[in-house]
Amino acid sequence: MAQPPVAGVLAAVTELLAAAPDDRGGALWRLAPVARQLDANVIRVPPGERVAPHVEPDLDVLLCVLGGGGELTVAGTTDRLEAGRVAWLPRGTERSLVAGPGGLVHLTAHRRRPGLAIGSVPPSAARSAGAATAAGAGGTDDGRGGGEPACLLDRICPACDRPADASDARFCARCGTRLPERDDG
């Protein structure tokens, strides 16, 4: 069973920086408790290095500069970064940054991403599957336009919030916790 999250002080940035080699970039710390609703990371970008332009399609991100400096470009607008600055990076906007001569250390925080899930079926594939089911080829659609029930809460792990991949899963693949009983009501 998953351990409950520990509240309180989780890291000391000065100690993280002292323990990591000066040229080490990337995540120096990550929020680790399994049962959480938030993701957070302390990231170091070495002097002059860039985080290439990219778009986060699903999550807003809060960025707080802890040390060093640089430049942040969001949706074509560039702002100076220095210790103590806080930036909001709305989902769907292109963003990039470049570290200044002293490097850049920042904290990012955003809602935790859900576990990997199977995406939706393209409409043409859904029509093909529907036709195959109507012809007796199997599947979950009984011809009433149904398929699986809309509520999939019985697939969400109560300990770590990971969704189960299989509809008949009884235990969480990540932490082993028993999944809620299905209410076919």
Side-chain angles (χ1 to χ4, degrees):
M1 185 165 204
Q3 295 295 318
V6 177
V9 176
L10 301 176
V13 174
T14 53
E15 293 173 13
L16 291 172
L17 294 173
D22 289 339
D23 60 344
R24 178 178 169 212
L28 301 179
W29 174 86
R30 297 174 194 264
L31 187 59
V34 174
R36 66 184 194 278
Q37 296 178 356
L38 183 70
D39 270 336
N41 304 287
V42 173
I43 307 289
R44 178 192 279 158
V45 183
E49 288 198 17
R50 302 180 161 275
V51 173
H54 64 286
V55 173
E56 167 50 63
D58 301 319
L59 302 172
D60 292 347
V61 176
L62 192 68
L63 181 145
C64 178
V65 180
L66 304 173
E71 289 184 339
L72 170 69
T73 303
V74 179
T77 301
T78 300
D79 289 304
R80 193 170 141 220
L81 293 176
E82 58 189 33
R85 295 261 171 120
V86 177
W88 175 49
L89 312 175
R91 69 180 179 265
T93 57
E94 184 177 79
R95 75 278 308 257
S96 65
L97 59 82
V98 60
L104 175 67
V105 178
H106 64 276
L107 171 80
T108 59
H110 56 78
R111 185 177 37 106
R112 185 175 185 199
R113 291 181 188 282
L116 295 177
I118 298 172
S120 61
V121 177
S124 60
R127 282 191 298 275
S128 298
T133 301
T140 60
D141 188 350
D142 62 2
R144 294 178 294 177
E148 293 187 346
C151 181
L152 299 176
L153 288 177
D154 60 307
R155 287 196 193 177
I156 305 299
C157 176
C160 72
D161 296 324
R162 181 185 191 276
D165 295 329
S167 62
D168 61 346
R170 298 291 173 243
F171 295 91
C172 176
R174 178 186 290 148
C175 71
T177 299
R178 184 168 187 80
L179 297 174
E181 293 295 320
R182 180 173 199 101
D183 181 11
D184 291 323

